[in-house]
Amino acid sequence: MSHDSAHAIPIETTTGLDSRKLAIWAFIGSECLFFASLISTYLVYKGKSLVGPFPHEAWTSPTGQEFEPILQIPLVTTGTALLLFSSFFVVMALAGAQRGDRRALLGWLGATIFCGVFFVGMQVYEFYHFVHEGLGYTTNLFGSTFYTLTGFHGTHVTIGLIWLLTIWILGLRGKLPPDKSLNLEIAALYWHFVDVVWIVIFPVVYLMR
Amino acid sequence: MATTAVEQPHPHSGAHARATGVWSWITTVDHKRIGILYGVTAFFFFLLGGLEALLMRWQLGAPDNTFVSPDVYNQLFTMHGTTMIFLGVMPLSAMFFNFMIPLQIGARDVAFPRLNAFSYWVFLVGGLLLNSSFLLNAAPNAGWFGYANLTSKQFSPGLNVDFWVIGLQILGVASLAAAVNFFVTIVNLRCHGMRMMRMPMFVWMSLITQVLLLLAFPVITVALILLMVDRFFGTSFFIPAGGGDPVLWQHLFWIFGHPEVYILILPAFGIISEILPVFSRKPLFGYAAMVFSGALIAFLGFGVWSHHMFATGMGPVADTVFGLATMLIAIPTGVKIFNWIGTVWGGSLRLKTPMYFALGFIAMFIIGGLSGIMHSVPPADLQQTDTYFVVAHFHYVLFGGSVLALLGGAYYWFPKMFGRVLGEGLGKLHFWLTFIGMNLTFFPMHFLGLNGMPRRVYTYPEGLGFELWNRIETAGSLVLGASFLVFIYNIIRSRHHIAPADPWEGGTLEWSIPSPPQEFNFPALPTVYSRDPLWEQRRTHGAAPEPTRVSGQGIHLPNPSFWPIVTALGIAVFFVGFLLGVNLWVILAGGGITALGIFSWAFEPAG
Amino acid sequence: MNEQAATAHEKPHPGTAVYIKIALTLFLLTALEVGAYEVARSGAPAGLAAVVGPLIVEILLLLSAVKFALVAMFYMHLKQDSKIFSSVFVFPIIIAAIILFALLALFWYLGIQHP
């Protein structure tokens, strides 16, 4: 989490690395197992749904209702691209913070947040659309695994957005000078991780038939 | 070793007069106090788990017994397992992580003191929530491993399994937070000169345990989430009628569960590796081999989980792979046992109480390991699984292993933690009652299991030949109960016997400071040049004088904080909202309190 | 914490030019992923589909692995920072991969189907 000033007095560390940065990497390592378990569950149940709607195939229900393949690749690809660009934007924001360029920091970080908000918005729209099209959380295994996996990812994105927004406000109030840029670096690492998880989820869920 | 600005004396901070009172404990961020909180809480839960065991043993003491109903028995064995593992052994290990790791690495505290406090409060809340289920006669009753689809809403409609799922999720948060904290602490806060291969073995085993915690707990988090949504929202992750596979639960659970047993035993290994050298007056035999075998056990531990599932029909390929991997783990484990024996061999033994427990550990753990190796052979396991043979195995490794080591650690480190020495006479009585009691209770279970008595049964009929051994086991459990009364009496009586800084002539840094330590631990952070710095000092400069208590003026310590407990309570409220039939208002309130806690914590002025 | 001193021992972070190149590469790789998907799905152009179709899983895995590595190495600065961070990240990924492949082997290939 962002710290106004976590340590009033700098503390020597054995490795010379900042403890908070080491901590976020340890946490990210742990989160790899979290998402790996969710992705494994998705893959184990892939193709095992007893009823539709299905991700990539059309389906006619026993009552004669017809369903198109439910995934919308163009929309999600756009969201994916934006999330990727947001990683670029946040790295530029960090560079700005590290050299004390407040305008660069606020501009690039603002762009990052915008991309993230769009991504979450895309997902919310996607979920709403799917439910409308007949894919509920309990409809079939695809629905359960899809919503759980992408839902938890989306939750992580949202938490990241709140974190980045908090830092953006700190930056606006002039409270993010270069010697406090580690706060942004740590949030950025979390943000990149969330992006990297989507880099795996996108092909696994949307592109693999 | 890289350095940055070194700690400067700060004119406005200093050793506060040792604060007392409930508020100082609620807001403490001192690792020593948090360690004591963990210890007292965990000891209480351990006794509760022991009571559950005694009730079970009383029920099983005679055939066709009606002391407790089947439903109560199910709650007892479920809570006994869950309590002993998550509320007993793990937090007792956490007590030692908290108290001893900073001292052994020459640090003033852990890397994140408030996160440390947070872990404790979340643990407390989780343990209380889990046990509050008894008040509703709805304690978890589907086993500590919660096999699907017994745990589905259809077959477990009551609140029991909900309490289990929610309770474990909360406890998982505590474990993960603590794991991040101790991982960073051990990597980053070692004193000058303490290279990784100079750390005390307890610190090494603890480090490996933190890595296991970080990697294993997310998996059970996912498993519990899937079970939770099955129960609360009607998904079919583990429900065959909806296309789900109950065996997936077993996979996810045991992918966590097997590393979990190494989480339970590695700290114990570390404690034994501390005690044996001191009481043999010899350095630990094969330090590097001990490090690498510990790391290898942890790594291989991720590849054996389905040995808990040999009876689920995975097929010969899977059975073979997991059987072989399980046998492989015996090798680094054997290395450790031989190295412990090598430590004692030729040593000048001092048979004090910690040494009794350590030697007892070696013998009992070997027995537990032998029955474990028998399980690694799938055809043999098909006979042994779900019988009392398995119960014998894991009690030998968990009681004869973890608990004996924790008790040894308690006798070893009690003087340091509380400034009092536990009585030797009472200690030896405690040991013998424990040793005799545990063997009476658990050894006959090998016979019962091979003779066909199943596990998890509330009674058995007459005439199957189970009566004699069950009666002996019940008698043994009473001896074990008595042993704990002796221990408690020993603790109470110890208040008369003041401890010096170094009652055992130890080699590691914790013995160089007063007992109990002052708030700042070390007046000046030490520099080490060997694995056993105090022995090194003894060799070159003779025995050190009793360290005096100094003022600590100018030493900067982190401020106490109220936000860890607030955040912990927020998490509790959030999860309780699910227990209350997914009450959105309570869930949102919990989320709000958690967010308030986190933001306040983040923006708290630094001390 | 004095961040400048802490990172003084690590290599300097890359400049804007590198970041832009990585961003464009990521975009291109994503386009390739979606392209491969489209070719495999629609079966056209026929020659390309015959190659891409059966290998679609491997192609997607490879492309996403490259993207993953690029973000990790350059945006998360693993290439320039201390190797300790890389170890802390890579080890869990190895364990995660072992678990994932083991579960897939158990459920997809060894045919443990439970009704």
Side-chain angles (χ1 to χ4, degrees):
Chain A
M1 273 316 286
S2 52
H3 292 271
D4 196 286
S5 74
H7 296 288
I9 295 169
I11 291 178
E12 181 182 345
T13 64
T14 316
T15 58
L17 305 173
D18 186 283
S19 286
R20 287 170 294 156
K21 194 166 166 182
L22 190 57
I24 193 71
W25 274 112
F27 176 67
I28 284 173
S30 183
E31 290 260 80
C32 286
L33 270 297
F34 179 81
F35 281 105
S37 306
L38 284 175
I39 292 172
S40 300
T41 303
Y42 180 88
L43 285 173
V44 160
Y45 282 147
K46 189 170 153 67
K48 301 275 189 308
S49 294
L50 299 177
V51 298
F54 297 117
H56 295 111
E57 293 134 23
W59 178 65
T60 308
S61 76
T63 57
Q65 204 183 356
E66 295 198 344
F67 295 90
E68 290 295 299
I70 204 159
L71 292 178
Q72 298 175 297
I73 307 300
L75 173 68
V76 180
T77 306
T78 312
T80 303
L82 278 173
L83 200 62
L84 280 176
F85 280 129
S86 77
S87 268
F88 165 65
F89 296 149
V90 82
V91 109
M92 295 300 293
L94 178 62
Q98 282 170 338
R99 59 174 191 267
D101 184 344
R102 197 162 149 263
R103 280 196 58 197
L105 160 64
L106 292 177
W108 290 115
L109 191 54
T112 310
I113 294 169
F114 172 79
C115 288
V117 168
F118 185 93
F119 180 86
V120 176
M122 169 215 75
Q123 280 222 294
V124 167
Y125 168 75
E126 186 189 36
F127 282 21
Y128 174 80
H129 177 73
F130 283 6
V131 170
H132 191 67
E133 289 293 305
L135 183 74
Y137 192 33
T138 63
T139 306
N140 57 13
L141 283 176
F142 169 65
S144 304
T145 53
F146 173 82
Y147 287 123
T148 306
L149 175 58
T150 57
F152 269 101
H153 176 261
T155 308
H156 279 76
V157 175
T158 307
I159 291 173
L161 284 174
I162 296 174
W163 192 349
L164 289 176
L165 186 63
T166 309
I167 294 182
W168 191 87
I169 294 174
L170 279 179
L172 191 66
R173 292 162 67 183
K175 291 215 172 112
L176 207 72
D179 63 304
K180 294 239 165 57
S181 64
L182 188 76
N183 290 330
L184 175 57
E185 187 171 4
I186 290 172
L189 284 172
Y190 176 83
W191 186 257
H192 289 305
F193 176 68
V194 156
D195 183 24
V196 142
V197 171
W198 187 255
I199 285 175
V200 177
I201 292 179
F202 175 60
V204 165
V205 172
Y206 292 90
L207 302 185
M208 279 191 208
R209 298 172 59 92
Chain B
M1 185 187 69
T3 61
T4 58
V6 179
E7 202 176 325
Q8 306 287 352
H10 195 284
H12 296 293
S13 70
H16 338 271
R18 188 57 155 178
T20 51
V22 175
W23 188 251
S24 75
W25 283 87
I26 287 179
T27 57
T28 187
V29 294
D30 178 350
H31 70 99
K32 300 181 288 299
R33 282 204 163 180
I34 293 171
I36 291 174
L37 285 171
Y38 263 109
V40 170
T41 310
F43 190 59
F44 169 74
F45 279 128
F46 186 89
L47 293 179
L48 197 57
L51 181 62
E52 284 150 4
L54 286 175
L55 293 171
M56 286 160 62
R57 282 291 358 137
W58 198 256
Q59 164 66 13
L60 292 173
D64 294 312
N65 208 354
T66 54
F67 176 62
V68 295
S69 68
D71 183 57
V72 169
Y73 189 86
N74 289 347
Q75 293 177 43
L76 287 174
F77 82 71
T78 303
M79 285 304 284
H80 169 74
T82 306
T83 299
M84 286 306 198
I85 289 173
F86 294 104
L87 306 180
V89 173
M90 284 177 77
L92 286 171
S93 300
M95 162 181 68
F96 288 129
F97 295 157
N98 265 282
F99 208 103
M100 306 314 304
I101 290 178
L103 298 183
Q104 288 200 320
I105 64 175
R108 295 215 185 282
D109 207 313
V110 296
F112 305 107
R114 289 173 299 178
L115 190 65
N116 201 12
F118 169 77
S119 294
Y120 169 73
W121 293 115
V122 174
F123 152 64
L124 177 67
V125 150
L128 289 176
L129 188 96
L130 207 48
N131 281 285
S132 69
S133 60
F134 275 119
L135 299 173
L136 299 172
N137 195 21
N141 58 358
W144 85 275
F145 37 79
Y147 281 160
N149 53 348
L150 174 62
T151 47
S152 65
K153 214 47 180 209
Q154 177 185 6
F155 296 111
S156 291
L159 282 172
N160 319 55
V161 172
D162 296 328
F163 269 105
W164 185 75
V165 168
I166 299 296
L168 284 188
Q169 283 290 39
I170 296 175
L171 292 171
V173 172
S175 292
L176 275 170
V180 172
N181 212 345
F182 286 112
F183 176 79
V184 175
T185 301
I186 294 172
V187 170
N188 238 12
L189 295 190
R190 287 167 283 138
C191 62
H192 286 226
M194 190 172 285
R195 304 194 295 256
M196 294 291 280
M197 295 302 268
R198 271 192 194 153
M199 299 195 306
M201 195 50 61
F202 177 68
V203 179
W204 256 117
M205 294 299 109
S206 303
L207 176 65
I208 296 171
T209 305
Q210 309 312 318
V211 174
L212 284 175
L213 284 164
L214 285 173
L215 299 179
F217 264 84
V219 184
I220 194 177
T221 303
V222 167
L224 289 170
I225 288 172
L226 299 182
L227 181 59
M228 200 169 101
V229 296
D230 266 11
R231 289 182 61 83
F232 290 138
F233 300 121
T235 49
S236 300
F237 283 107
F238 307 121
I239 309 221
D245 188 348
V247 174
L248 178 63
W249 164 269
Q250 290 194 37
H251 280 290
L252 291 174
F253 182 82
W254 287 116
I255 290 172
F256 153 77
H258 196 81
E260 167 67 9
V261 313
Y262 293 116
I263 288 167
L264 294 171
I265 200 66
L266 282 174
F269 284 175
I271 295 174
I272 298 304
S273 296
E274 294 290 320
I275 294 175
L276 289 177
V278 171
F279 292 87
S280 309
R281 283 185 266 222
K282 265 179 82 204
L284 182 69
F285 186 91
Y287 179 99
M290 292 298 253
V291 171
F292 288 114
S293 58
L296 192 57
I297 287 171
F299 180 70
L300 289 177
F302 275 100
V304 301
W305 77 84
S306 286
H307 67 215
H308 299 269
M309 299 167 59
F310 282 144
T312 59
M314 296 183 295
V317 174
D319 281 355
T320 309
V321 169
F322 284 107
L324 278 175
T326 308
M327 291 177 205
L328 218 55
I329 279 204
I331 297 175
T333 314
V335 163
K336 286 189 168 295
I337 294 181
F338 282 115
N339 280 5
W340 285 320
I341 295 174
T343 303
V344 176
W345 196 276
S348 169
L349 304 194
R350 283 180 299 152
L351 292 176
K352 302 282 186 189
T353 308
M355 190 57 159
Y356 271 69
F357 278 101
L359 293 172
F361 165 95
I362 297 179
M364 299 297 97
F365 187 77
I366 290 176
I367 294 176
L370 290 173
S371 57
I373 263 297
M374 289 171 68
H375 295 315
S376 72
V377 183
D381 186 65
L382 283 181
Q383 279 297 123
Q384 295 153 202
T385 196
D386 284 338
T387 70
Y388 261 82
F389 195 83
V390 182
V391 182
H393 158 67
F394 65 68
H395 280 100
Y396 265 87
V397 289
L398 284 178
F399 195 105
S402 300
V403 173
L404 286 192
L406 287 168
L407 286 173
Y411 276 89
Y412 180 56
W413 277 318
F414 192 91
K416 181 56 55 185
M417 291 172 66
F418 298 107
R420 302 284 184 273
V421 190
L422 289 169
E424 267 304 308
L426 281 174
K428 284 177 174 133
L429 175 62
H430 175 198
F431 170 77
W432 285 114
L433 285 174
T434 306
F435 191 77
I436 292 169
M438 82 149 276
N439 281 294
L440 277 179
T441 312
F442 301 119
F443 202 78
M445 291 183 180
H446 293 104
F447 309 140
L448 279 176
L450 290 180
N451 286 339
M453 181 173 176
R455 306 169 62 166
R456 310 168 187 148
V457 291
Y458 79 104
T459 193
Y460 51 92
E462 261 195 79
L464 288 178
F466 297 158
E467 297 90 328
L468 175 64
W469 294 127
N470 267 291
R471 231 173 308 149
I472 291 177
E473 288 166 10
T474 299
S477 69
L478 293 173
V479 175
L480 273 181
S483 77
F484 276 95
L485 294 176
V486 170
F487 185 44
I488 292 170
Y489 179 61
N490 200 355
I491 293 173
I492 294 172
R493 260 205 44 199
S494 73
R495 68 184 187 280
H496 304 299
H497 304 120
I498 309 278
D502 185 12
W504 312 117
E505 290 178 36
T508 41
L509 288 176
E510 71 268 33
W511 305 111
S512 69
I513 53 180
S515 301
Q518 297 183 265
E519 199 178 352
F520 48 81
N521 299 345
F522 301 90
L525 293 180
T527 304
V528 303
Y529 303 99
S530 76
R531 283 179 188 151
D532 299 295
L534 266 60
W535 285 354
E536 175 83 17
Q537 231 169 41
R538 235 172 233 274
R539 262 197 300 275
T540 48
H541 301 114
E546 178 74 13
T548 52
R549 292 183 179 272
V550 297
S551 88
Q553 185 71 279
I555 298 179
H556 166 70
L557 289 176
N559 284 338
S561 174
F562 175 57
W563 299 113
I565 194 174
V566 168
T567 312
L569 287 174
I571 288 177
V573 170
F574 175 79
F575 278 109
V576 162
F578 284 96
L579 264 181
L580 299 172
V582 196
N583 185 321
L584 210 55
W585 292 117
V586 178
I587 293 172
L588 283 174
I593 298 172
T594 308
L596 168 74
I598 293 176
F599 272 90
S600 309
W601 178 340
F603 291 109
E604 201 170 26
Chain C
M1 181 62 198
N2 192 332
E3 282 90 65
Q4 279 112 354
T7 54
H9 300 272
E10 301 156 340
K11 293 182 284 228
H13 288 166
T16 309
V18 173
Y19 291 150
I20 293 179
K21 273 189 256 188
I22 300 289
L24 292 173
T25 311
L26 290 170
F27 183 76
L28 181 67
L29 290 170
T30 309
L32 282 176
E33 280 180 326
V34 178
Y37 163 79
E38 280 299 327
V39 166
R41 183 185 68 91
S42 65
L48 192 59
V51 169
V52 165
L55 291 174
I56 185 69
V57 171
E58 289 82 350
I59 291 173
L60 288 175
L61 279 179
L62 181 66
L63 289 173
S64 56
V66 173
K67 285 162 71 179
F68 190 116
L70 286 176
V71 173
M73 286 199 297
F74 292 100
Y75 285 169
M76 298 172 94
H77 299 137
L78 279 181
K79 191 156 187 287
Q80 297 85 28
D81 281 355
S82 163
K83 289 214 176 2
I84 293 176
F85 296 132
S86 299
S87 314
V88 169
F89 187 47
V90 168
F91 184 70
I93 291 178
I94 294 173
I95 300 284
I98 291 174
I99 291 171
L100 182 92
F101 288 123
L103 283 174
L104 291 185
L106 284 163
F107 280 87
W108 281 3
Y109 298 112
L110 296 180
I112 47 165
Q113 295 301 332
H114 300 266

